[in-house]
Amino acid sequence: CTGVWVQGHPQVLVLLLVGFSSSELVRKEKKMVANSNPVAKIHAPNFWGFEKFYWDLVKNIPDWMKRQGVELKYAYGCFPGMLWNGGRPQNPAKLHDLASTVEREILGYKKLGIELELTCNNISLLPDDFQDSYCNEILGIWEKYGLTVIVALPQLAQYIRKTYPRIRLKRSCVDWQDNNPGFNYDLLVLDQFEGGNARLLQSLDAETRAKTELVANVECIDHCPNFHKHHKVMSDLQRFGRTSEYFTCPLLKKIPLVMPMYHSTRNNHYIQPSSLPKLAKLGLQHFKLVSRCYTGQAIDSVIKYTCLPAYKSDLVARAYLCFGVPKRIGEPVDYNFLLGGEKIDDDTRKFLQIW
């Protein structure tokens, strides 16, 4: 995606959307967002359980993350036992020391320059579920820090806006209907199958672009007809505590896909890492990385979009150490490599779950 001025017509900008497989690659743009040095802001998956991985990336090997024009700015996810979560079924067991754990998680990531976003996109909730004390306790802390909550149910969005006015609300792609949702969200995740739609992106004005988030690495097949059914089933399983069950898309049995799926040329919504800074110059600065279901895919996604390609094999090896997978079978993993020889306080040790 690059911009070039048309000779003799300084008011017209021709957009070449390189990296999209969309057939409509050339579009005209009359107004540019005034930002001389924009940065593509990554919204990465799984803050809960990925503490060691993100700590190692940011604290120990920051030079490996210097992909030009890209910044690991946010991490999304949820805590165990959250009824309002709907993206992936989570352990229904609630945290006993909830308040201190949530605070520690927020502050631990703050040390890394990463802001947390809470996934509350269960679309099977009923109004009575909005009074869930566990979820409301978490949101009370979330409001204290003015953080973001991702929602897919309009009624829940209205409840949160009224009860916790300092919380920023992001509209999940699961709830995507059109470009005018009729609710004042702070950020909107575009329909995940339209990230490569040049015509749609060109139709967005500067204000809408500034609050639009694109899904960079969709894992589903293009415009999967089971996408919303999938999410509804997952929401039901979470709400009724049947977290050991799962939804398997029947199309996966019929269509061979490359894993991770976004490597497949079938997907015309895949956005190459090299395209992110170019899109940022057009006012589209927010990019979501999916892969909450599989640890390996999440690792691969974050490395692919934030780190220099030359370090990928070393990064993958370090990442698996962070998750307790030794280089050789049977060897114990010594997590002191995360500390770099430095002493850390008890809160940080608990944040990293190093005992």
Side-chain angles (χ1 to χ4, degrees), residues 52-121:
K52 297 185 185 72
F53 174 55
Y54 289 126
W55 178 278
D56 193 38
L57 281 181
V58 176
K59 285 287 187 180
N60 297 332
I61 46 178
D63 289 343
W64 295 13
M65 293 185 65
K66 290 183 177 178
R67 182 181 283 277
Q68 189 172 5
V70 177
E71 179 182 1
L72 178 56
K73 185 65 177 175
Y74 305 93
Y76 65 90
C78 70
F79 296 94
M82 283 191 63
L83 175 67
W84 296 355
N85 168 64
R88 298 290 181 271
Q90 299 290 320
N91 187 337
K94 293 177 169 59
L95 296 170
H96 296 296
D97 52 347
L98 180 62
S100 60
T101 300
V102 173
E103 291 251 8
R104 187 165 55 240
E105 196 79 358
I106 293 170
L107 296 176
Y109 275 102
K110 188 175 182 180
K111 292 179 181 178
L112 304 181
I114 297 175
E115 187 175 302
L116 299 189
E117 300 177 314
L118 191 65
T119 302
C120 295
N121 58 355

Side-chain angles (χ1 to χ4, degrees), residues 39-45 54 65 67 69-76 113-115 117 170 213-214 216 273 276 285-290 301-307:
V39 174
K41 301 173 183 180
I42 296 295
H43 298 248
Y54 289 126
M65 293 185 65
R67 182 181 283 277
V70 177
E71 179 182 1
L72 178 56
K73 185 65 177 175
Y74 305 93
Y76 65 90
I114 297 175
E115 187 175 302
E117 300 177 314
K170 180 197 292 191
E213 183 176 320
L214 302 181
L276 268 56
Q285 291 187 260
H286 295 274
F287 298 91
K288 177 180 180 178
L289 303 184
V290 298
S301 297
V302 174
I303 290 174
K304 183 181 181 68
Y305 281 88
T306 66
C307 301

Side-chain angles (χ1 to χ4, degrees), residues 17 35 63 92 108 130 136 144 170 224 227 234 301 345:
L17 297 180
N35 191 341
D63 289 343
F130 301 164
N136 277 283
K144 173 183 174 181
K170 180 197 292 191
C224 178
F227 174 70
M234 302 301 272
S301 297
D345 56 38

Side-chain angles (χ1 to χ4, degrees), residues 272-318:
Q272 293 183 4
S274 59
S275 293
L276 268 56
K278 300 168 187 177
L279 282 166
K281 291 180 180 179
L282 302 178
L284 294 158
Q285 291 187 260
H286 295 274
F287 298 91
K288 177 180 180 178
L289 303 184
V290 298
S291 285
R292 288 183 67 198
C293 25
Y294 303 110
T295 298
Q297 284 179 254
I299 291 171
D300 186 80
S301 297
V302 174
I303 290 174
K304 183 181 181 68
Y305 281 88
T306 66
C307 301
L308 298 172
Y311 297 107
K312 180 174 181 179
S313 59
D314 292 329
L315 278 163
V316 171
R318 288 185 70 104

